Amino acid sequence: MSIAKAIRGFSDLGRIQAPLLVSIGIVLSGPLAAPAHADAGFERWKRQFWQTASASGVTSATYEAALGGITPDPDTIRLMNKQAEFVKPVWEYLESAVSEKRMETGRRMLAEYSEELGRIERRFGVDREVVLAIWGMETNYGGFKGEHYVIRALATLAYAAPRRTSFWEQELVTALQILQAGHVTPQSMEGSWAGAMGHTQFMPSSWRHYSADYDGDGRHDIWTSVPDALASTANYLKQHGWQYGKTWGYEVDLPTGFDYSLADGDTTKTLADWRRLGIRRTGDRAFPRPDDRAELLLPAGAGGPAFLMLKNFFVIKRYNNADAYALAVGHLADRIRGGDAFQAAWPRNALPLSREQTMMLQTLLNRKGFDVGEADGLIGPATKRGIRAYQRAAGLTPDGYASVLLLQSIQSGS
């Protein structure tokens, strides 16, 4: 049982005193006495970290109530050391993220929270459907907000993570401050194994900078108050530059012989300029604001759908810096408001590479004289440039897309 479960019932952390801890099985003899079968290193770390927390205004009562008796979270340790062996293709990700059930639930939530969403939209200038889409993506509209006691997860990372120690320490201090201020009770402070919290999965630092109080009760309760969580998400998007009333992007058709080097992650043009290059919106619909600037994205290479991405797409990426995530949020928002499915088919034979396969690809490209830098398993600008150079030399479409088919082509020498 997590400490969050054990202390169920305490609603005002500011009034929790050390004697109360005895009643929930945490017997203290000095600061943070070790529980039976404790990890000795973790216990030493907790005693040492008290100095950091105290210097940030965390009281001993808060610290003991939050950290007393906890041990490292084994799930957090397992997951922080896990190396992804399989990369889900973007089309499989979208099929799950923008499922019929998620769209239907989103439309129901649009009606159920119509009044609150209207107020949030007017206050922050962020379209209600995208706020709902992030809620749907992050926790399935509150259906699963995580099952880890956030303090325990962050303490485990601050103690054991091999990198970014100062980051995890600051997140933990902020989480303790949130508890101390009474914005959430310890039993409700649950989230992901990495400390993301609440209906829309804010890290403590994001809560500090962007959380909002929808109902004026003085608490920024992203854990149990749906309106507070949605208002906080809207504020996050607003502060990162959301443009109200504008979309995230358009699915487009590319002309025969198109110069795929323009899909390089750097080139931006106005929609009018892209149209002059032969790009058309699917269904030959007009672009409503031809002067908007956009970047061309090919999530699965030249064989799949193509998109012109506007500023709002990159604002969504500030929430999660993955193209597939931002594409899913934007598409889910469109489908909630009644939009159509994507028109082009996905190239289901062009599977993406695992990290190990990417390292193999990079090694082979370097050997063949297409310099991509270190073979680190990450697809960055240098790797994409090397892929395009190889594709041109081999008479392939130079879209820079790293797929299993491409790796097989290089391995076979074709």
Side-chain angles (χ1 to χ4, degrees), residues 232-291:
S232 298
T233 298
N235 189 43
Y236 185 99
L237 296 173
K238 173 190 176 182
Q239 296 302 325
H240 285 94
W242 184 265
Q243 296 182 329
Y244 178 68
K246 293 189 177 183
T247 187
W248 53 274
Y250 302 101
E251 186 183 3
V252 295
D253 294 322
L254 305 182
T256 302
F258 182 76
D259 179 5
Y260 284 91
S261 67
L262 294 173
D264 60 2
D266 292 318
T267 301
T268 62
K269 297 178 181 293
T270 67
L271 294 172
D273 286 339
W274 286 116
R275 187 169 176 84
R276 280 189 281 272
L277 290 172
I279 293 180
R280 297 290 184 268
R281 190 176 172 192
T282 53
D284 205 27
R285 292 168 289 178
F287 294 119
R289 291 170 297 276
D291 290 335

Side-chain angles (χ1 to χ4, degrees), residues 145-403:
K145 292 178 283 186
E147 55 187 4
H148 295 265
Y149 175 37
V150 167
I151 297 295
R152 186 187 188 198
L154 291 173
T156 301
L157 289 162
Y159 165 65
R163 296 175 297 278
R164 304 176 71 198
T165 300
S166 61
F167 170 81
W168 297 118
E169 289 179 347
Q170 187 54 57
E171 293 294 330
L172 176 56
V173 167
T174 303
L176 290 167
Q177 293 169 334
I178 291 169
L179 279 178
Q180 183 164 290
H183 291 279
V184 61
T185 57
Q187 71 270 17
S188 294
M189 199 179 202
E190 293 188 325
S192 76
W193 66 270
M197 314 177 296
H199 279 274
T200 50
Q201 297 290 280
F202 272 29
M203 291 299 291
S205 56
S206 291
W207 179 96
R208 175 184 293 281
H209 293 296
Y210 306 111
S211 64
D213 176 13
Y214 171 86
D215 55 15
D217 66 354
R219 299 167 63 228
H220 296 207
D221 181 7
I222 64 172
W223 303 269
T224 65
S225 168
V226 170
D228 275 12
L230 298 182
S232 298
T233 298
N235 189 43
Y236 185 99
L237 296 173
K238 173 190 176 182
Q239 296 302 325
H240 285 94
W242 184 265
Q243 296 182 329
Y244 178 68
K246 293 189 177 183
T247 187
W248 53 274
Y250 302 101
E251 186 183 3
V252 295
D253 294 322
L254 305 182
T256 302
F258 182 76
D259 179 5
Y260 284 91
S261 67
L262 294 173
D264 60 2
D266 292 318
T267 301
T268 62
K269 297 178 181 293
T270 67
L271 294 172
D273 286 339
W274 286 116
R275 187 169 176 84
R276 280 189 281 272
L277 290 172
I279 293 180
R280 297 290 184 268
R281 190 176 172 192
T282 53
D284 205 27
R285 292 168 289 178
F287 294 119
R289 291 170 297 276
D291 290 335
D292 284 352
R293 299 193 68 81
E295 177 182 308
L296 181 62
L297 178 69
L298 308 173
F307 302 90
L308 285 176
M309 299 309 195
L310 306 179
K311 180 177 180 179
N312 283 345
F313 178 80
F314 300 98
V315 173
I316 296 171
K317 285 187 69 175
R318 296 298 297 269
Y319 213 96
N320 180 321
N321 190 34
D323 288 340
Y325 175 87
L327 184 61
V329 168
H331 190 45
L332 180 57
D334 286 350
R335 300 304 300 277
I336 288 172
R337 68 166 60 94
D340 296 328
F342 293 141
Q343 300 302 300
W346 293 98
R348 294 178 181 271
N349 63 331
L351 295 172
L353 301 177
S354 68
R355 185 161 186 175
E356 181 179 349
Q357 289 173 319
T358 299
M359 292 176 67
M360 187 183 305
L361 172 69
Q362 291 168 323
T363 299
L364 290 171
L365 286 169
N366 281 331
R367 286 177 184 171
K368 290 179 178 293
F370 303 101
D371 182 22
V372 300
E374 180 186 357
D376 57 4
L378 303 175
I379 303 294
T383 298
K384 289 183 179 180
R385 284 194 297 270
I387 290 172
R388 286 197 179 91
Y390 166 79
Q391 288 171 324
R392 290 190 190 96
L396 303 173
T397 302
D399 59 7
Y401 178 57
S403 69

Side-chain angles (χ1 to χ4, degrees), residues 35-110:
H37 312 296
D39 178 317
F42 187 59
E43 293 306 312
R44 284 194 299 273
W45 175 86
K46 285 196 291 184
R47 289 193 292 272
Q48 293 167 356
F49 191 70
W50 158 243
Q51 302 300 322
T52 300
S54 176
S56 297
V58 176
T59 67
S60 60
T62 297
Y63 197 73
E64 291 167 344
L67 285 164
I70 69 169
T71 56
D73 187 328
D75 281 347
T76 295
I77 291 174
R78 176 178 60 84
L79 290 167
M80 78 178 182
N81 291 320
K82 184 178 180 181
Q83 293 293 328
E85 297 178 358
F86 172 74
V87 178
K88 181 179 287 189
V90 62
W91 50 89
E92 289 186 10
Y93 179 84
L94 287 169
E95 285 168 359
S96 173
V98 193
S99 65
E100 288 293 335
K101 184 174 182 180
R102 189 164 286 175
M103 288 186 283
E104 292 170 4
T105 304
R107 293 172 192 134
R108 178 162 51 82
M109 293 299 177
L110 184 64

